[in-house]
Amino acid sequence: MKITAEHLARGAYVYVRQSTADQLVNNPESRRHQYGLAERARSLGWKDAIVIDEDLGRSGSGISRPGFEKLLAAICEGRVGAVLAIEASRLARNGRDWHTLIEFCGLVGTLIIDEDGIYEPRHPNDRLLLGMKGTMSELELSILRARSIKALKQKARRGELFLTVAIGYVKSGRNRVEKDPDLRIREAIELVFRRFDELQSIRQVHLWLRREGIMLPAVNYTRAADRAIVWKLPVYNTVHHILTNPIYAGAYAFGRTCSKVTIEAGRKRILPGIRRDRADWEVLLIDHHEGYLSWHDFERNQRLITDNATSKGLVPRGALRRGELLLGGLLRCGHCGRKLHCLLFRQQRQYGALSLPRSAGQPRNRPVHRLRIVAGRSGRQRGVLQRLQPLGMEAAIKGHRDLHRAGWREAAPCGARTRAGTS
């Protein structure tokens, strides 16, 4: 008999785990079966059983599991006479955790009990059998994951995989989507695109919607209604999602994000939702369904959103902001390549690039004085003149007059010799 008085003098620990939140909701029989192991422990001679269920809804593939760490700590302290689980996959789905458990149980003389039998890790045959059980459990998980991912990608390549549906669309049958029949929802989505065409800034669209008190639809998942539409004032991310999601341009996209695996404190940590460049998307099917705008307009909007970025390095042009310089964001410094901004230098508004620290080994940037560009003198100067289109000059003069009428103090002349793109 493998169970001795020494084992019975210690506690019996029942380890309960289910891998996902979906299993917690839809598979209560497995959980009830695992809790029933406490009764089996009493039938084997233990007076009582301690249930560890902190890992419900956590995968056993190597991520942090506080319940499993609690079990290992109790084993090392010599308080555990037996560990009960319905099968090896409940205790661990990776070799590291499984073999660590076997090693600790063998050192302190703790039994491992599942539905198939009672195992003594200090016995070579039992240890071999436990090792094979853990290896098969880990292999099974890898095979199931590989098969499911392959099936998902095959369905995605046909444009038929819809795990969720964006606001403004509903599923049509099992493999298609169409515009939401609710006219209010469609008009709200169309309003966002119309205002972006006028304001050309996600932030300005967001501020306008908040200022006007216009609510946008959002999805609220509940047990009672599964997918319910609620209306609320938008946050910035809501507007950004609508304007950057290719589904609204009639395109099907899959693989826009990926996950990154890191090691923290000896445990695997998965960082989901890392955005990929469009060239790295796994599937992109244009004209897949009816959109709220054309693909051409969508790409134009993405270029504009990229150009509006002000903190994404030196390459983006940056959004136009308040200032009195006509070419703000269009000129770059010939020394450091940084964008020229509107700076106050000797009580004058002038073009200039923010200087890097002297420790960076680069010379200080000086503001540009006395804008003097002669037509035809050089290709760089012609590049500046190309940006000073007659229509743009008229708009700038008109804007300056409007500001002057509103009481703004006329700014002093600014700028000097500049070079378009590399000034």
Side-chain angles (χ1 to χ4, degrees):
M1 186 65 178
K2 295 181 180 179
I3 301 177
T4 65
E6 181 184 356
H7 296 127
L8 296 176
R10 306 178 195 172
Y13 280 64
V14 177
Y15 182 74
V16 179
R17 183 183 67 81
Q18 286 183 294
S19 300
T20 63
D22 182 70
Q23 290 180 355
L24 291 176
V25 175
N26 300 316
N27 194 7
E29 288 300 324
S30 174
R31 187 165 62 257
R32 188 177 296 114
H33 188 189
Q34 294 182 65
Y35 279 113
L37 292 174
E39 184 62 32
R40 186 187 178 192
R42 284 187 282 268
S43 67
L44 292 174
W46 279 274
K47 295 182 179 180
D48 202 0
I50 301 172
V51 177
I52 296 179
D53 56 4
E54 287 90 337
D55 294 342
L56 285 172
R58 294 176 179 266
S59 172
S61 60
I63 64 173
S64 177
R65 290 186 290 157
F68 186 78
E69 299 295 339
K70 178 180 177 181
L71 175 63
L72 289 180
I75 292 173
C76 293
E77 293 171 0
R79 296 186 284 111
V80 183
V83 177
L84 289 84
I86 60 174
E87 58 184 9
S89 64
R90 298 305 175 192
L91 287 165
R93 279 284 198 176
N94 68 95
R96 175 186 181 274
D97 286 350
W98 179 247
H99 290 285
T100 299
L101 176 66
I102 296 175
E103 184 68 23
F104 287 173
C105 288
L107 290 174
V108 300
T110 298
L111 302 176
I112 296 178
I113 303 175
D114 63 11
E115 290 189 319
D116 298 325
I118 301 173
Y119 308 94
E120 170 57 85
R122 289 180 293 188
H123 294 173
N125 289 338
D126 286 359
R127 191 182 186 93
L128 175 62
L129 186 55
L130 288 172
M132 293 178 62
K133 279 178 172 283
T135 301
M136 295 301 296
S137 175
E138 187 176 16
L139 178 62
E140 179 189 25
L141 179 64
S142 301
I143 293 175
L144 292 176
R145 182 186 291 114
R147 286 178 177 175
S148 61
I149 292 176
K150 183 178 181 180
L152 286 175
K153 290 184 177 181
Q154 287 178 344
K155 193 171 184 179
R157 293 188 187 101
R158 301 193 301 267
E160 298 176 354
L161 177 63
F162 294 98
L163 302 178
T164 58
V165 182
I167 289 291
Y169 286 96
V170 294
K171 288 186 179 181
S172 175
R174 298 186 60 183
N175 302 323
R176 300 292 297 176
V177 294
E178 61 183 16
K179 284 187 175 181
D180 198 307
D182 191 325
L183 180 60
R184 183 187 177 190
I185 295 178
R186 296 201 305 268
E187 289 180 345
I189 300 298
E190 292 169 354
L191 175 63
V192 174
F193 288 106
R194 287 200 305 270
R195 294 305 298 171
F196 184 79
D197 288 340
E198 298 172 9
L199 302 176
Q200 299 190 355
S201 167
I202 297 180
R203 180 176 181 273
Q204 293 304 319
V205 173
H206 169 239
L207 294 177
W208 181 83
L209 292 171
R210 301 280 298 193
R211 185 169 58 250
E212 298 296 326
I214 298 176
M215 294 186 291
L216 294 182
V219 177
N220 183 29
Y221 290 96
T222 62
R223 289 188 179 182
D226 189 25
R227 185 179 187 265
I229 300 296
V230 296
W231 292 82
K232 56 185 179 180
L233 289 176
V235 296
Y236 178 87
N237 287 341
T238 299
V239 181
H240 183 275
H241 173 75
I242 293 175
L243 291 170
T244 57
N245 195 335
I247 192 174
Y248 294 105
Y252 177 89
F254 175 79
R256 293 193 299 152
T257 61
C258 62
S259 299
K260 182 180 179 181
V261 178
T262 60
I263 304 298
E264 294 185 4
R267 288 287 181 182
K268 178 176 68 174
R269 183 185 178 190
I270 301 177
L271 303 176
I274 299 177
R275 295 186 178 276
R276 291 173 167 175
D277 295 333
R278 186 186 299 179
D280 298 328
W281 293 359
E282 296 189 31
V283 180
L284 178 60
L285 304 177
I286 301 175
D287 296 330
H288 176 266
H289 53 268
E290 184 181 4
Y292 286 85
L293 75 165
S294 67
W295 182 254
H296 174 76
D297 292 338
F298 175 78
E299 288 191 313
R300 177 182 59 82
N301 290 349
Q302 303 316 298
R303 289 193 295 269
L304 182 57
I305 292 171
T306 301
D307 285 342
N308 284 343
T310 55
S311 59
K312 300 295 183 181
L314 301 177
V315 177
R317 184 189 64 188
L320 296 179
R321 297 187 173 183
R322 292 180 60 181
E324 298 153 346
L325 296 184
L326 182 62
L327 302 177
L330 299 179
L331 302 180
R332 293 184 179 272
C333 176
H335 295 285
C336 66
R338 300 170 72 88
K339 291 179 290 186
L340 297 185
H341 299 280
C342 180
L343 304 177
L344 182 62
F345 183 74
R346 295 179 181 176
Q347 303 302 318
Q348 294 183 358
R349 295 288 182 181
Q350 301 177 1
Y351 292 108
L354 299 178
S355 297
L356 296 173
R358 289 188 180 275
S359 59
Q362 296 195 19
R364 292 278 186 179
N365 295 322
R366 299 179 59 188
V368 182
H369 301 282
R370 296 189 309 277
L371 182 61
R372 185 179 66 185
I373 302 176
V374 181
R377 286 194 60 181
S378 70
R380 292 167 180 166
Q381 293 174 347
R382 286 196 300 270
V384 173
L385 294 175
Q386 288 175 1
R387 286 162 172 79
L388 301 179
Q389 299 292 339
L391 190 61
M393 289 294 295
E394 293 176 7
I397 294 173
K398 182 178 182 301
H400 187 275
R401 289 173 179 170
D402 292 341
L403 291 175
H404 188 62
R405 293 194 191 99
W408 283 55
R409 182 169 59 87
E410 184 175 359
C414 60
R417 202 174 288 222
T418 60
R419 296 180 290 178
T422 59
S423 168

